[in-house]
Amino acid sequence: MTKPWLIRTLPWTVTLGSLVLWQLVCVVFSIPTFILPTPIEVIGSLAQYYEPITTHSLQTLVTTLVGFGLAVAFGLVLGLVVGSSRVVYDALYPLMVAFNSIPKVAIVPVLVIWFGIGTVPAILTAFLISFFPIVVNVATGLATIEPELRDVMRSLGARKSQILWKIGIPRAMPYFFASLKVAITLAFVGSIVSETVAANAGIGYLMISASSRFDVPLVFAGLVVIAVLGVVMYELFVLIERRVTFWATRGHELVT
Amino acid sequence: MSSTAPFVVIDQVSLVYGKDGAGTLALQDASLTINRGEFVAVVGPSGCGKSTLLKLVSGLHLPTRGTVHVAGQAVTKPLKICGMAFQNATLLPWRTTLDNVLLPLEIVEPHASEFRRNRDKYVAHAKKLLATVGLAGFEDKYPWQLSGGMQQRSSLCRALIHDPDLLLLDEPFGALDAFTREDLWSILQTLWLEKRPTVILVTHDLREAVYLADTVYVISARPGRVVSRTTIDLPRPRTLEDTFKPEFMEMAHALRDQISHVRNTQ
């Protein structure tokens, strides 16, 4: 058996190890900074531009969360509708898949024409890129209710809304939370893609302007901030998931 | 309604699965009548439409031909007076055992509208029921923390909590080991003797059928037809010891012969 302390420290050692490897590669092959800065240079850049990085990452965080929030609300409602009606499912699915196949970066220019440069296109891109997995997962959770359970409910005279409320929604929760973890990281991708194309603020904008000045360490500093934000949000949803749907990720405890 | 009129009347019922009568014929011209408070077992080879029969009685399926009447009313939509249990316990993993058992009371009137106000009363009732099946102290456990037998007991409690007039059991003990199964037979008999609901038990276990039922129907292989009706007039309460007595064995054997006969004539 792997020791518990090893499992707990492993993520940190692996991350640190990769950074050390990165540093070594840069030094050994004497890679120029404007191609690939070393982790130490990136950290230096983080420290040097501490203030602008903070403002811009806050902008990105808020943009992402607003877009993500819209995606959760919309995805949940659409998922419930699609999952509880076969007809709606069949009717909407091709359209949704088609829409999801469109690269969202291609939509940003259209959004800019409609809403101008700035926060609104970024929010909308974050929303558009992240609602699909939520819809699919919630719909799957609803559509896979055991037929016997439905029979039990129907033979008690349960209305459709009661079956949805008492069985469907709780049952879809693990699927919903699984999708949130995917959706939050996608939302970051969406808002940053939009910021790099059309914005005056946000980490994406910061990175694009740094790159046009060949300040590659700052570009990487931006990447690091995005990665850290992504991990933090992801872990947050893992925590919420564990609290709400503990029954779905249960251990093997058994009373005999 | 007079108490002597049959409670469930299935009259010349056929059911075809699939559209426009082109699918599988699951049940053909089945007729049987069940009195109020009678315990009926339906046995037959697998795939003979036994479960279909339950769905017809509960109104979850409507017959292609023929009629089903329950309590004098033609069945045209799902009944609201049924308790059901299946081979899988189908408990809700996000609810504790107690909350699982309470589920029907949140749906069936008049309990549903009083549920919030009288929750304590209902909880006490559910705990009492759980205690009679030997699950006292497990109320706050989740189903996945219970063994298979305990889950099935909870499932029985859920089927019975609202005192249904009609209890439909679809091989509820099929997945359990022999000892647990026999335990549950006794528990079911006790519960039935107490409240006397009308029970239809689908099973492929002949000892189970003879032990529990007043009347055993044998159904032929698909398309299912009712081929015989046997009255089990052994005194109640029956004990597991009784299942080894000659008259019990004789009945089980007679049923067994009938089933091998309908299987071989296919």
Side-chain angles (χ1 to χ4, degrees):
Chain A
M1 273 304 283
T2 323
K3 294 181 178 61
W5 64 265
L6 191 64
I7 293 175
R8 235 176 305 134
T9 51
L10 210 53
W12 300 99
T13 27
V14 168
T15 311
L16 268 177
S18 334
L19 289 176
V20 170
L21 187 69
W22 176 3
Q23 180 79 30
L24 282 177
V25 167
C26 288
V27 172
V28 170
F29 299 99
S30 35
I31 299 171
T33 296
F34 65 89
I35 303 277
L36 179 64
T38 66
I40 291 178
E41 284 168 324
V42 173
I43 292 165
S45 185
L46 272 172
Q48 187 188 345
Y49 297 106
Y50 174 74
E51 264 177 51
I53 287 178
T54 315
T55 7
H56 286 293
S57 26
L58 274 179
Q59 162 75 19
T60 301
L61 185 62
V62 170
T63 307
T64 306
L65 287 181
V66 173
F68 174 72
L70 288 174
V72 170
F74 179 75
L76 200 53
V77 171
L78 192 61
L80 289 178
V81 174
V82 170
S84 39
S85 159
R86 183 80 220 176
V87 179
V88 180
Y89 183 95
D90 288 343
L92 283 185
Y93 228 70
L95 187 65
M96 287 200 311
V97 173
F99 180 78
N100 194 48
S101 313
I102 299 171
K104 299 301 169 295
V105 67
I107 298 183
V108 177
V110 181
L111 293 176
V112 171
I113 293 173
W114 290 351
F115 302 103
I117 284 177
T119 313
V120 178
I123 289 177
L124 288 177
T125 316
F127 161 69
L128 290 174
I129 206 171
S130 62
F131 81 86
F132 187 74
I134 303 180
V135 175
V136 172
N137 272 32
V138 172
T140 308
L142 286 189
T144 52
I145 296 177
E146 293 85 345
E148 285 113 338
L149 209 44
R150 212 184 274 278
D151 285 351
V152 167
M153 295 295 280
R154 286 177 62 207
S155 64
L156 292 169
R159 293 185 301 273
K160 266 198 144 184
S161 61
Q162 283 176 314
I163 297 180
L164 181 69
W165 194 248
K166 300 223 180 266
I167 314 266
I169 292 180
R171 199 178 179 293
M173 280 302 111
Y175 294 83
F176 174 63
F177 279 105
S179 74
L180 290 192
K181 291 186 286 185
V182 178
I184 185 66
T185 46
L186 284 176
F188 271 110
V189 173
S191 57
I192 287 160
V193 158
S194 179
E195 284 168 0
T196 50
V197 179
N200 300 317
I203 284 283
Y205 166 75
L206 182 74
M207 281 163 56
I208 276 296
S209 35
S211 115
S212 62
R213 283 182 284 116
F214 281 96
D215 189 349
V216 183
L218 183 55
V219 175
F220 274 81
L223 290 178
V224 168
V225 169
I226 296 165
V228 169
L229 283 179
V231 171
V232 169
M233 295 316 290
Y234 185 94
E235 286 300 322
L236 186 69
F237 284 107
V238 172
L239 278 181
I240 299 176
E241 179 183 26
R242 271 195 210 140
R243 285 192 68 90
V244 180
T245 61
F246 61 94
W247 53 268
T249 49
R250 57 211 176 220
H252 297 286
E253 158 186 24
L254 190 78
V255 187
T256 42
Chain B
M1 201 192 80
S2 86
S3 56
T4 49
F7 186 57
V8 178
V9 180
I10 300 171
D11 189 22
Q12 293 289 307
V13 162
S14 302
L15 183 89
V16 180
Y17 281 114
K19 282 177 201 137
D20 308 324
T24 331
L25 182 61
L27 207 61
Q28 191 176 23
D29 300 326
S31 294
L32 50 111
T33 55
I34 301 168
N35 292 322
R36 190 177 274 274
E38 189 177 355
F39 197 128
V40 165
V42 178
V43 297
S46 57
C48 71
K50 302 189 292 276
S51 306
T52 306
L53 196 68
L54 286 192
K55 295 204 169 174
L56 285 167
V57 173
S58 62
L60 293 170
H61 282 331
L62 297 178
T64 314
R65 284 190 302 278
T67 53
V68 179
H69 283 79
V70 174
Q73 301 270 317
V75 176
T76 52
K77 57 175 198 267
L79 297 176
K80 297 184 175 185
I81 52 161
C82 296
M84 290 186 108
F86 303 89
Q87 183 167 352
N88 299 324
T90 62
L91 300 167
L92 307 177
W94 55 89
R95 284 175 172 240
T96 61
T97 304
L98 180 68
D99 286 335
N100 264 294
V101 172
L102 288 172
L103 179 73
L105 299 177
E106 297 170 23
I107 292 160
V108 174
E109 295 299 347
H111 310 294
S113 34
E114 292 173 19
F115 187 76
R116 269 167 218 272
R117 234 176 320 133
N118 290 338
R119 197 183 146 86
D120 291 347
K121 192 185 86 188
Y122 288 124
V123 166
H125 177 41
K127 282 190 170 170
K128 211 179 123 213
L129 188 58
L130 280 167
T132 52
V133 302
L135 282 179
F138 291 95
E139 294 89 353
D140 296 328
K141 295 282 179 201
Y142 288 90
W144 35 273
Q145 295 173 311
L146 303 179
S147 68
M150 295 165 105
Q151 291 183 19
Q152 207 51 264
R153 286 167 212 221
S154 321
S155 178
L156 271 183
C157 289
R158 181 180 68 186
L160 286 165
I161 185 79
H162 55 298
D163 288 333
D165 292 334
L166 189 57
L167 182 61
L168 304 174
L169 304 173
D170 192 351
E171 299 188 23
F173 313 128
L176 303 174
D177 67 85
F179 298 114
T180 312
R181 196 182 309 154
E182 290 176 355
D183 259 0
L184 282 164
W185 293 353
S186 312
I187 288 171
L188 180 57
Q189 180 178 240
T190 312
L191 291 171
W192 177 74
L193 285 172
E194 200 175 301
K195 297 278 182 186
R196 287 285 178 148
T198 308
V199 184
I200 307 179
L201 167 74
V202 161
T203 180
H204 49 231
D205 185 332
L206 298 175
R207 284 181 66 228
E208 180 172 304
V210 176
Y211 177 78
L212 284 167
D214 298 320
T215 314
V216 180
Y217 287 92
V218 175
I219 294 196
S220 69
R222 182 165 283 191
R225 264 179 267 240
V226 178
V227 292
S228 81
R229 175 180 189 278
T230 312
T231 308
I232 311 291
D233 46 9
L234 300 171
R236 301 220 187 232
R238 299 168 190 165
T239 62
L240 285 173
E241 206 44 50
D242 292 340
T243 65
F244 299 101
K245 287 183 180 161
E247 61 265 38
F248 186 98
M249 303 281 236
E250 224 166 84
M251 285 187 184
H253 268 132
L255 287 171
R256 202 192 149 71
D257 286 344
Q258 287 173 17
I259 290 188
S260 25
H261 181 71
V262 296
R263 284 182 67 187
N264 293 334
T265 50
Q266 278 304 301

